[in-house]
Amino acid sequence: MKVNYLPKNRLKFPYWKRILVLLVIFFAGTIVFSFLGSTIVSLVSPVWEAENVIVSGENVTPVIDRRTKSGLIVATVLTYPPQTPYDIIIIDIGSNDSVVIGGEVSMSEGPLLGLVSEVFSRRAKVKLFSASGEETSAILERNDMPITLEGRGGGNFRISLPRDMEIEKGDRILSADISARLMAIVEDVTVQPTDAFKEVLAKSPTNIFALRFVFVAP
Amino acid sequence: MTRRVIGSIFVLLSILVLPYWIYIPVLLFAIIFFPFFWEGIILAFLIDVIYGSGVEALPSFVSLFALSALILIIILLPIRERLRF
């Protein structure tokens, strides 16, 4: 009769120890990194500043008077997509410059870009409205219809509208507040014969892959 | 060991200065290439800490990239022993 014995020095599943080590690293990292966000971003910022100088080929001097007449604060964009995997930008002002979470961020020409999502002492993260899964109330300019813009990443948006609603390529989508600032421009309209809704794809009016300065509402 | 340290530094630098469509494949390659690349979890944490977590479905304290790296390394543990690099 043939009997198979397990070797004495070999476990049935020899990976438990290593899996345990990985789990410990993961949970320790979750705790440690949740406290280190501000420190790490501060440490890394000089790398981005140097990179911006090298890429743009000019020495970007720090903005001395950041306040504009309208009360907005000018900020330099340190890093932007596609360096960030989500539609998030990091700017060079923070709580020291009275930036708060939820502050509106826009371009100098007016288009609204996103909201401040995290604030450190001298840096802040801005989540763009086009970030994947981000939902924002807006107005379709053509017929003053309130809509919900759904972020798709890469400066793109998706909107679902009733199929009878009139909409064309180039239509403007404005913010739902009283200032009615430009948020997106319709790029493509798709409707299937069997669908009750039409799918509208819109694009941010600015190139989010080449942002250099933004305006932040304190 | 030296290759592993150089590899980790290269991944770190690519996270800091290169687009995500380069540093994510680089990190993936490092996890596959180096045996038991636990540094990959730390580097994946860095991506989410620096650039922010944009995944609404997960709680804010859970890093999507670190979780993915953890799962990948665990999956690769038995597979690596059957492969020869």
Side-chain angles (χ1 to χ4, degrees):
Chain A
M1 193 175 90
K2 191 183 173 189
V3 181
N4 287 327
Y5 294 104
L6 278 169
K8 277 184 183 173
N9 60 348
R10 193 173 169 87
L11 297 170
K12 273 184 185 172
F13 189 69
Y15 310 110
W16 287 119
K17 264 188 184 173
R18 280 184 279 178
I19 289 174
L20 193 68
V21 169
L22 290 174
L23 288 173
V24 168
I25 291 170
F26 178 76
F27 287 113
T30 304
I31 295 165
V32 171
F33 280 101
S34 63
F35 294 107
L36 290 181
S38 167
T39 315
I40 291 171
V41 170
S42 306
L43 285 174
V44 168
S45 300
V47 178
W48 294 327
E49 284 165 354
E51 187 193 359
N52 285 345
V53 170
I54 293 165
V55 170
S56 64
E58 57 192 47
N59 195 2
V60 182
T61 49
V63 183
I64 298 164
D65 189 13
R66 290 178 178 276
R67 295 259 173 190
T68 61
K69 284 178 186 169
S70 52
L72 300 174
I73 310 167
V74 184
T76 308
V77 179
L78 293 174
T79 184
Y80 46 81
Q83 195 167 334
T84 57
Y86 317 105
D87 276 16
I88 283 175
I89 60 172
I90 299 174
I91 54 176
D92 70 338
I93 53 173
S95 55
N96 290 355
D97 302 282
S98 34
V99 173
V100 290
I101 291 177
E104 284 184 349
V105 177
S106 57
M107 291 295 294
S108 54
E109 298 85 10
L112 209 51
L113 287 173
L115 301 175
V116 175
S117 61
E118 270 182 76
V119 181
F120 311 118
S121 57
R122 289 177 58 236
R123 305 281 181 256
K125 283 182 194 171
V126 178
K127 194 168 196 179
L128 304 182
F129 292 126
S130 57
S132 186
E134 191 80 356
E135 292 192 347
T136 317
S137 298
I139 302 284
L140 191 61
E141 191 188 35
R142 177 182 281 269
N143 36 23
D144 283 337
M145 166 99 175
I147 55 169
T148 303
L149 274 177
E150 189 192 326
R152 305 284 284 176
N156 299 306
F157 300 94
R158 183 184 163 277
I159 313 153
S160 218
L161 290 176
R163 64 175 294 139
D164 296 334
M165 179 158 290
E166 227 177 274
I167 186 163
E168 280 178 25
K169 186 182 174 185
D171 281 358
R172 304 194 325 157
I173 296 161
L174 308 175
S175 63
D177 58 2
I178 197 163
S179 58
R181 279 180 288 176
L182 182 62
M183 289 183 77
I185 295 168
V186 173
E187 283 290 317
D188 189 34
V189 182
T190 320
V191 59
Q192 301 295 329
T194 51
D195 286 351
F197 291 90
K198 60 171 81 171
E199 188 186 62
V200 179
L201 297 176
K203 202 167 171 38
S204 176
T206 52
N207 181 9
I208 63 159
F209 302 106
L211 289 172
R212 289 195 62 199
F213 297 101
V214 290
F215 286 76
V216 184
Chain B
M1 185 65 188
T2 315
R3 275 201 310 181
R4 197 179 171 106
V5 173
I6 292 170
S8 303
I9 292 169
F10 181 71
V11 177
L12 175 66
L13 287 177
S14 64
I15 287 171
L16 296 183
V17 296
L18 294 177
Y20 74 89
W21 40 264
I22 292 179
Y23 64 70
I24 291 173
V26 166
L27 176 61
L28 190 70
F29 177 79
I31 288 173
I32 294 169
F33 185 74
F34 296 112
F36 191 59
F37 192 66
W38 57 269
E39 298 93 328
I41 298 176
I42 310 285
L43 292 165
F45 267 120
L46 268 181
I47 298 174
D48 267 334
V49 168
I50 295 172
Y51 300 124
S53 175
V55 183
E56 302 286 335
L58 291 170
S60 59
F61 57 87
V62 176
S63 160
L64 172 75
F65 285 113
L67 188 64
S68 312
L70 172 75
I71 293 168
L72 185 64
I73 296 169
I74 290 175
I75 291 171
L76 282 172
L77 280 177
I79 294 174
R80 273 196 65 88
E81 290 200 356
R82 289 167 176 80
L83 296 175
R84 189 173 289 195
F85 281 97

